[in-house]
Amino acid sequence: MNRRNWISKATLGSTGVVILPHLGIAMPKTNLGDTYLRLASNENPYGCSEHVKKSFLTSASAINRYAFPSIPQLKIALAKRFQLTAENILLGAGSSGLLEAVAQFMLQREGDVTTATPTFDILPSMLEKFGRKTHYIQLKPDHTLDLDAMLAKTQEHPGLVYIVNPNNPIGTVVAPQELRRFITEATKFSYVLIDEAYLEFCDNPESMIDMVINPKVMVIKTFSKVYGLAGLRIGYGFAHKEWANELEKFMIFAGLLYPLHPMLLLWLLLMTRIL
């Protein structure tokens, strides 16, 4: 029930290796006359904002143009919204693109991956294809993350801790103060990546974005879920500028993939307070 199962393949840089994520979900046969709700991909059935829909009409004349010039503007808009600097912002073809960059980053250095199970496991699956060890920590009886066990494991096997909060596909949430304490301790041994693709669905969402003041913390988010823009493939992440600079080396330039002028999209989201 992973949120990006529909991705048929992902490549890791110049290695030319094709990674086939979990394709066990039943995809319907092509039928242009029917509309399917792909629950396994967690598509937003309500679609995007009416304001964004209108922007498609005004942007149609520019669809033949690459969005290179607007990428810095998009970073500035996100940085202003979240009270950071453009140096802290990363953009990708969905958050999958950011996860791929993190995988590349980890392959350049020693260290294992620690994560929960079950969880969204595209990142550890990518790394396992290249022989990198992943330590899967079982959920507690109440289906929440066992942070104590994860901390002990990453202390024993430093590298990267990957946490999806809320957890996909379980839906449980780690209390903000508990997660902050974990991040503070875990970064003494490892990098920590927090995936907040579903945080906006919480009643009282509290992001970990302010924690990226720590050079070993990254938070990723996406427009694909609550904003209903899965087809645009726009993921965005926040990291300390030192880590962000390293990750940029592994990013396929995101502007190649935007069919909608991203600055116009963000302007609409920010001005109408949708974001």
Side-chain angles (χ1 to χ4, degrees):
M1 196 147 169
N2 291 331
R3 57 189 158 90
R4 302 181 190 89
N5 280 341
W6 58 272
I7 302 174
S8 60
K9 62 183 178 181
T11 58
L12 284 177
S14 60
T15 60
V17 177
V18 175
I19 294 177
L20 298 177
H22 311 279
L23 299 178
I25 60 173
M27 296 299 289
K29 294 181 179 179
T30 302
N31 188 337
L32 299 180
D34 295 324
T35 300
Y36 296 93
L37 179 60
R38 289 189 286 256
L39 292 176
S41 298
N42 292 325
E43 291 177 335
N44 186 331
Y46 301 104
C48 63
S49 161
E50 291 299 322
H51 297 283
V52 176
K53 290 179 182 178
K54 291 178 183 178
S55 75
F56 285 109
L57 299 177
T58 58
S59 301
S61 61
I63 200 169
N64 61 314
R65 298 286 188 177
Y66 291 120
F68 302 138
S70 66
I71 299 304
Q73 294 174 304
L74 175 52
K75 288 187 174 185
I76 291 171
L78 284 167
K80 183 177 180 180
R81 169 64 178 81
F82 293 99
Q83 299 181 327
L84 295 170
T85 70
E87 293 178 311
N88 299 121
I89 310 300
L90 290 157
L91 301 174
S95 51
S96 301
L98 299 174
L99 292 173
E100 183 175 321
V102 173
Q104 285 274 31
F105 173 82
M106 290 305 301
L107 289 172
Q108 305 303 311
R109 49 195 35 80
E110 298 295 326
D112 296 349
V113 180
T114 298
T115 191
T117 186
T119 195
F120 179 66
D121 61 355
I122 290 296
L123 175 58
S125 294
M126 286 182 181
L127 290 168
E128 286 176 340
K129 296 291 185 180
F130 291 86
R132 189 57 54 90
K133 176 70 175 178
T134 297
H135 303 279
Y136 291 99
I137 306 300
Q138 290 289 335
L139 302 179
K140 295 191 288 188
D142 62 356
H143 306 298
T144 58
L145 301 184
D146 191 340
L147 294 184
D148 290 338
M150 295 178 75
L151 182 60
K153 184 60 68 174
T154 199
Q155 182 175 1
E156 182 183 359
H157 300 281
L160 173 73
V161 181
Y162 176 52
I163 290 180
V164 183
N165 189 50
N167 190 18
N168 171 26
I170 304 303
T172 54
V173 183
V174 180
Q177 291 308 313
E178 184 181 359
L179 185 54
R180 291 180 188 280
R181 286 193 295 269
F182 173 84
I183 292 171
T184 300
E185 291 301 313
T187 50
K188 296 176 181 178
F189 315 102
S190 302
Y191 288 89
V192 175
L193 174 59
I194 308 295
D195 188 334
E196 295 184 347
Y198 298 94
L199 187 67
E200 290 80 8
F201 291 101
C202 296
D203 292 333
N204 298 296
E206 183 175 326
S207 176
M208 296 293 111
I209 291 174
D210 61 299
M211 296 292 287
V212 303
I213 190 173
N214 186 316
K216 289 188 174 182
V217 177
M218 181 179 180
V219 176
I220 60 174
K221 301 174 81 68
T222 180
F223 287 109
S224 297
K225 304 307 175 185
V226 73
Y227 303 114
L229 299 172
L232 289 185
R233 310 305 301 129
I234 305 177
Y236 55 108
F238 307 86
H240 189 279
K241 64 179 182 180
E242 293 179 8
W243 196 6
N245 287 338
E246 288 297 313
L247 290 171
E248 285 283 7
K249 299 175 183 178
F250 307 109
M251 297 296 298
I252 298 176
F253 196 69
L256 291 169
L257 303 172
Y258 296 158
L260 175 66
H261 193 293
M263 190 55 198
L264 176 58
L265 169 63
L266 261 296
W267 182 85
L268 285 166
L269 291 170
L270 295 168
M271 294 302 102
T272 57
R273 299 187 180 183
I274 297 169
L275 180 60

